[in-house]
Amino acid sequence: MHRFANLNFTMGAVFSILGTLIMIYGLISPPTLASLDGFNINLWWGALTLLFGVIFGVIYGIGIRKEEKEAISKETSETNRNVM
């Protein structure tokens, strides 16, 4: 499978960017609803979204490493067959 055909990279990037933007907004703006008792929902939701994006990025990285290991082992086995 080609690297860019994997949606984990795209989704991870989108969620990471969105989470970072929401977190920055939460850091520079005060909590908007009085019913939240000072709980800054933008800051926490941004952190959660960023974490979600990072998880997708990690899954993408694990998949790439697995594909590379499989390709290396396939090349090694083909080389061993040619030698014998």
Side-chain angles (χ1 to χ4, degrees):
M1 179 191 274
H2 195 267
R3 282 186 189 187
F4 296 107
N6 193 342
L7 288 177
N8 286 333
F9 175 76
T10 305
M11 290 176 64
V14 168
F15 280 115
S16 295
I17 292 169
L18 183 63
T20 303
L21 291 174
I22 294 172
M23 274 185 63
I24 291 171
Y25 181 74
L27 287 171
I28 61 175
S29 67
T32 53
L33 297 176
S35 64
L36 294 175
D37 291 328
F39 184 74
N40 195 340
I41 192 70
N42 290 324
L43 180 64
W44 288 103
W45 188 248
L48 183 68
T49 309
L50 178 62
L51 178 66
F52 193 66
V54 168
I55 290 170
F56 270 104
V58 168
I59 292 170
Y60 172 74
I62 291 170
I64 292 298
R65 286 189 188 136
K66 185 177 178 182
E67 287 177 5
E68 288 175 353
K69 286 181 182 179
E70 288 173 357
I72 290 171
S73 66
K74 185 177 179 181
E75 288 175 5
T76 305
S77 65
E78 288 177 3
T79 305
N80 289 341
R81 280 190 228 155
N82 292 338
V83 170
M84 290 181 187

